[in-house]
Amino acid sequence: MTQLTEPTDQRLAKGARARATIAQRAAELASVEGLDGLSIGRLAADLGLSKSGIATLFGTKEALQLAAVQTGRDIFVERVIAPSLAVPRGIERIRTLVDRWFAHIDEPPFPGGCFRVATLTEFSSKTGPVHDAVVADHDQWLAFLAAEIAKARDLGALPMVDPDLLAFELDAIVSAANVARQTGDSSRVDAARAIAARLLSPQG
């Protein structure tokens, strides 16, 4: 029984690694060329894989797009959210989240900058499962951020703030910073940081 199981497990692990590698490259390309610009042929050429192999793993272009969206989400969680959860809830956690969010912009894991900003712009007026995944990712992040802001308010910080409004404002500011960073305008990235800091100050 063991001899039959181990090769199967190895194949599954190899397939999972291949999927992760392909999804990562798909997210990198999509950050620059858009999710609609993805093609199995381009990915196969970039990664030295066969088109049939990629098609076997993902089946459709839509599945590939959804995998890229999930990869972008996972990396954002890993870089921004997860480390911030080590900070006690309250204003310091909010500031840590925002600092890591800006770091995600300053040193982006994708060549096109923030994956969420790029894909949300591309798919905001479209319909279908990819649109739904992109919008859901964005909405869930804003809901998480607003909940953390509400907790900070309950603990005595930012007593007059509307959590949903502040989350929206911060999202708009960091999105603008991402565009500025991609166009090489570091002064506007610095300005965005200053605006965010002011919003999170006691008198903000």
Side-chain angles (χ1 to χ4, degrees):
M1 179 67 69
T2 300
Q3 290 179 340
L4 292 175
T5 302
E6 287 180 349
T8 300
D9 290 344
Q10 291 169 4
R11 286 195 296 272
L12 290 173
K14 183 178 180 181
R17 288 194 298 271
R19 282 183 61 88
T21 297
I22 295 165
Q24 172 73 28
R25 183 56 181 154
E28 291 170 356
L29 290 173
S31 74
V32 177
E33 301 175 9
L35 285 164
D36 272 344
L38 289 178
S39 74
I40 289 176
R42 170 68 184 276
L43 286 166
D46 281 2
L47 297 171
L49 301 173
S50 68
K51 289 193 287 187
S52 61
I54 295 177
T56 297
L57 287 170
F58 289 94
T60 65
K61 177 178 176 177
E62 183 177 274
L64 189 59
Q65 291 172 319
L66 291 170
V69 172
Q70 185 63 48
T71 294
R73 176 189 177 92
D74 290 345
I75 290 176
F76 186 85
V77 169
E78 178 185 339
R79 287 167 57 105
V80 178
I81 297 176
S84 301
L85 297 181
V87 178
R89 294 188 82 175
I91 189 61
E92 290 308 315
R93 181 182 287 184
I94 303 303
R95 288 178 175 142
T96 301
L97 280 164
V98 172
D99 286 345
R100 289 189 172 275
W101 197 2
F102 271 107
H104 186 70
I105 298 299
D106 284 337
E107 299 179 6
F110 303 111
C114 180
F115 183 86
R116 178 181 286 119
V117 173
T119 54
L120 188 63
T121 301
E122 180 188 5
F123 271 83
S124 59
S125 60
K126 299 181 181 180
T127 59
V130 180
H131 163 273
D132 295 346
V134 168
V135 172
D137 175 51
H138 183 247
D139 288 349
Q140 288 163 16
W141 162 238
L142 288 185
F144 169 81
L145 186 57
E148 292 295 332
I149 293 168
K151 181 62 176 179
R153 183 189 60 186
D154 293 344
L155 292 172
L158 309 172
M160 303 301 292
V161 78
D162 178 324
D164 291 321
L165 178 59
L166 180 53
F168 177 80
E169 289 173 324
L170 290 170
D171 183 61
I173 291 163
V174 181
S175 296
N178 177 72
V179 174
R181 194 270 179 195
Q182 289 304 110
T183 57
D185 191 343
S186 60
S187 65
R188 290 187 177 177
V189 176
D190 292 340
R193 284 182 181 276
I195 295 169
R198 186 171 68 243
L199 287 173
L200 296 177
S201 66
Q203 66 274 18

